[in-house]
């Protein structure tokens, strides 16, 4: 088991050898993974320099995940301070996470505006419930349900579901209805927001896949521009 001292000693060696490590964050579903260099280690804090895009994420998420060949797995760190003009941040409270931190390389975008939809268990046709799109990728979806719409014992892992909602489309004035089939992979009660988040894998047909790809690409461009705007505002 790696402890904080082991991690700091390794980071000190990375600094001495002038090597770079990779930082992993997510901005509204977009993976942001840029290299970072270690500038200085003071007590149990590490000062790093990285890209402006990564600094934006560090400031928002207040944590990052570190990857380097010297570590046997991924290291989680809290972000104590950031400086956009210096492209620097202070990291501390390091924790060994192993290799299981979820899929942080897949583009899984969050919608700009609320997108409402319907989720229906295929083997319980009368149990259709209303919810909101949390995020979506070409092969997966996150769907929010208010507590009054969540059905215990039915909306559980491995349940086959049908989803329908309207997606904004570049070549259409009005939203385009999208119907998808999926399988529930996980269910989480987000107590702070008092809502349920249903994560499901998707099995889109060719037409649905095309609409999904178009929406994800458009949203990706918008989010990258958001990041650039934040960089400009911070300078």
């Amino acid at each position: 088991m790696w402890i904080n001292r082991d991690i700091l000693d390794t980071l000190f060696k990375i600094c001495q050898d002038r090597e770079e490590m990779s930082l992993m964050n997510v901005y509204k579903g977009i993976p942001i993974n840029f290299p970072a260099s270690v500038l200085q280690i003071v007590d149990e804090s590490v000062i790093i320099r990285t890209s402006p895009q990564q600094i934006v994420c560090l400031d928002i998420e207040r944590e990052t995940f570190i990857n380097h060949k010297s570590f046997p797995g991924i290291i989680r760190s809290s972000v104590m301070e950031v400086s956009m003009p210096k492209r620097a941040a202070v990291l501390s409270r390091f924790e060994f996470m192993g290799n299981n931190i979820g899929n942080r390389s897949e583009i899984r975008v969050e919608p700009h505006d609320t997108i409402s939809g319907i989720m229906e268990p295929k083997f319980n046709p009368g149990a259709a419930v209303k919810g909101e799109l949390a995020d979506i990728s070409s092969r997966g979806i996150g769907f929010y349900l208010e507590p009054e719409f969540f059905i215990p014992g039915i909306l559980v892992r491995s349940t086959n579901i049908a989803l329908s909602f309207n997606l904004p489309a570049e070549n259409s004035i009005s939203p385009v209805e999208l119907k998808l089939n999926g399988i529930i992979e996980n269910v989480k009660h987000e107590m702070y927001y008092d809502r349920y988040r249903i994560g499901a894998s998707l099995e889109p047909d060719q037409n649905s896949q095309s609409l999904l790809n178009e929406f994800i690409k458009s949203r990706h461009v918008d989010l990258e521009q958001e990041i650039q705007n934040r960089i400009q505002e911070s300078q």
Side-chain angles (χ1 to χ4, degrees), residues 11-209:
L11 289 170
F12 181 76
K13 188 175 187 308
I14 291 172
C15 179
Q16 280 189 319
D17 295 342
R18 297 185 179 180
E19 294 184 348
E20 290 186 327
M21 54 193 186
S22 177
L23 302 184
M24 296 180 286
N25 288 87
V26 175
Y27 181 84
K28 297 184 179 181
I30 298 179
I32 305 295
N33 307 327
F34 283 90
S37 55
V38 179
L39 302 180
Q40 188 179 2
I41 297 177
V42 181
D43 296 327
E44 295 190 350
S45 296
V46 176
I47 304 171
I48 58 104
R49 177 177 288 138
T50 186
S51 72
Q53 294 92 330
Q54 202 79 44
I55 292 293
V56 168
C57 291
L58 297 181
D59 191 30
I60 294 172
E61 292 197 294
R62 308 310 294 185
E63 70 174 10
T64 191
F65 294 88
I66 302 169
N67 190 21
H68 187 271
K69 61 185 180 182
S70 298
F71 294 120
I74 304 301
I75 304 298
R76 178 192 173 279
S77 172
S78 295
V79 177
M80 312 309 291
E81 298 178 40
V82 297
S83 171
M84 179 60 76
K86 295 181 179 179
R87 291 168 44 204
V90 179
L91 309 182
S92 190
R93 300 174 185 167
F94 300 94
E95 179 184 3
F96 179 62
M97 301 296 294
N99 292 304
N100 185 21
I101 61 167
N103 188 354
R104 303 180 77 85
S105 61
E106 180 184 41
I107 297 174
R108 193 179 183 96
V109 298
E110 299 176 10
H112 181 272
D113 299 310
T114 299
I115 296 178
S116 300
I118 300 294
M119 173 183 289
E120 183 176 24
K122 283 196 169 184
F123 300 110
N124 292 273
V129 291
K130 296 180 180 179
E132 294 179 1
L133 181 67
D135 51 49
I136 195 166
S137 71
S138 60
R139 292 291 174 181
I141 189 171
F143 203 71
Y144 291 135
L145 295 177
E146 295 300 317
E148 60 265 32
F149 295 124
F150 179 70
I151 309 174
I154 293 180
L155 296 177
V156 296
R157 182 179 172 85
S158 300
T159 298
N160 288 275
I161 55 173
L163 293 155
S164 62
F165 47 89
N166 294 325
L167 275 185
E170 286 188 347
N171 300 320
S172 176
I173 298 176
S174 58
V176 176
E177 184 180 22
L178 187 63
K179 294 185 177 182
L180 298 166
N181 294 318
I183 301 173
I184 294 179
E185 301 291 344
N186 55 73
V187 178
K188 181 181 179 182
H189 183 205
E190 297 184 342
M191 298 184 67
Y192 181 81
Y193 298 103
D194 191 23
R195 66 188 179 192
Y196 286 87
R197 186 187 188 282
I198 311 293
S201 57
L202 297 176
E203 300 172 351
D205 58 29
Q206 188 172 355
N207 183 55
S208 297
Q209 188 71 70

